[in-house]
Amino acid sequence: MVEPMRVLLVEDESDLADSLADGLRREGYAVDVARDGAAALVLLATADAELMILDRDLPVLSGDAVCRTLREQGHPIRILMLTAAGTLDDRVAGLDLGADDYLPKPFAYVELLARLRALARRAPAGSGTVLETAGVRIDTVRRIAERDGRPLALTRKEYGVLETLLAAHGGWVDADELRDEVWENGDDRSRGVVKAAVHTLRRKLGEPDPIESTPGLGYRIGGGS
């Protein structure tokens, strides 16, 4: 039996914390809740959490301090930082502290779920650097891609799409998730650019086409029959 992915939710607003925890549990996550930054660090010493939803404005110990402490310790947990301040400078500051993603309040719950799924696919620090399925192989540290030993000359977006699909380990990734994972806010973020990148990626990968696509589900590699 596959163990559910464990999430540590660090949020001092009781109603929001309870609502998010209930929703995430219905989605199949195992959820621990901390109400302040110091409690979060204590919980992490015993809870094997893989993802953290971290409010930036916390009592006792701020979210910034929690994030900084974990990164200084080399902790591999993936961090989605929440904040009421949503300016570009705030977002950059949060990412510079070591957060993996950043979501301003108020946010749509479906967007939070999508961002969690994207973080769940991302390899944590200290994990293996090679993703390989159906003869398609990438080294995520050296950013080298191959198909059956043949080097692939990919653009940054094509590489990002390929890495995201391989990291899903046969799971479906829809166009919106690919866009959120690969395309930055300043880019053209229409679904058309995702479709175009997948098209050119398929051409470079060659036959047989390893990328499956199904309307309503998205794309995957190595999903099996």
Side-chain angles (χ1 to χ4, degrees):
M1 180 178 178
V2 178
E3 292 292 324
M5 181 164 284
R6 184 165 293 277
V7 176
L8 175 56
L9 171 62
V10 192
E11 173 58 65
D12 65 317
E13 295 180 30
S14 296
D15 290 345
L16 178 59
D18 292 344
S19 176
L20 287 178
D22 289 345
L24 291 170
R25 289 175 182 131
R26 286 194 296 270
E27 294 292 329
Y29 294 97
V31 183
D32 297 303
V33 179
R35 305 290 183 173
D36 63 68
L41 293 179
V42 171
L43 264 176
L44 272 181
T46 56
D48 191 21
E50 299 164 271
L51 301 172
M52 174 186 280
I53 301 172
L54 177 66
D55 188 18
R56 196 171 184 186
D57 186 16
L58 292 170
V60 185
L61 193 64
S62 71
D64 285 4
V66 171
C67 190
R68 186 184 301 111
T69 297
L70 292 174
R71 292 318 183 214
E72 287 175 351
Q73 294 174 349
H75 199 290
I77 195 166
R78 286 148 281 180
I79 299 173
L80 172 60
M81 185 173 278
L82 305 179
T83 181
T87 68
L88 177 60
D89 287 345
D90 290 313
R91 181 174 183 272
V92 170
L95 294 173
D96 283 344
L97 286 167
D100 296 284
D101 202 356
Y102 193 91
L103 189 60
K105 296 178 178 179
F107 53 83
Y109 178 62
V110 290
E111 181 178 5
L112 181 138
L113 288 178
R115 289 174 182 265
L116 278 184
R117 289 194 297 268
L119 287 181
R121 293 192 297 268
R122 188 177 302 175
S127 66
T129 63
V130 174
L131 298 171
E132 184 170 6
T133 301
V136 182
R137 180 181 187 274
I138 63 171
D139 184 319
T140 62
V141 172
R142 296 189 296 162
R143 296 183 69 84
I144 294 173
E146 300 174 334
R147 172 78 189 273
D148 296 327
R150 171 176 58 86
L152 302 171
L154 304 180
T155 67
R156 186 168 64 89
K157 295 297 191 292
E158 291 163 355
Y159 178 91
V161 169
L162 182 60
E163 180 178 7
T164 302
L165 293 178
L166 288 174
H169 301 294
W172 292 102
V173 184
D174 68 27
D176 289 340
E177 291 177 66
L178 282 173
R179 181 193 59 199
D180 290 341
E181 182 75 9
V182 179
W183 275 261
E184 299 175 358
N185 285 334
D187 297 332
D188 177 357
R189 288 165 55 82
S190 67
R191 287 195 173 194
V193 295
V194 176
K195 185 176 182 179
V198 171
H199 175 76
T200 58
L201 177 59
R202 278 176 158 151
R203 179 166 50 80
K204 292 179 179 181
L205 287 170
E207 297 294 338
D209 183 2
I211 301 177
E212 299 178 45
S213 60
T214 298
L217 292 177
Y219 305 93
R220 68 177 178 179
I221 292 179
S225 57

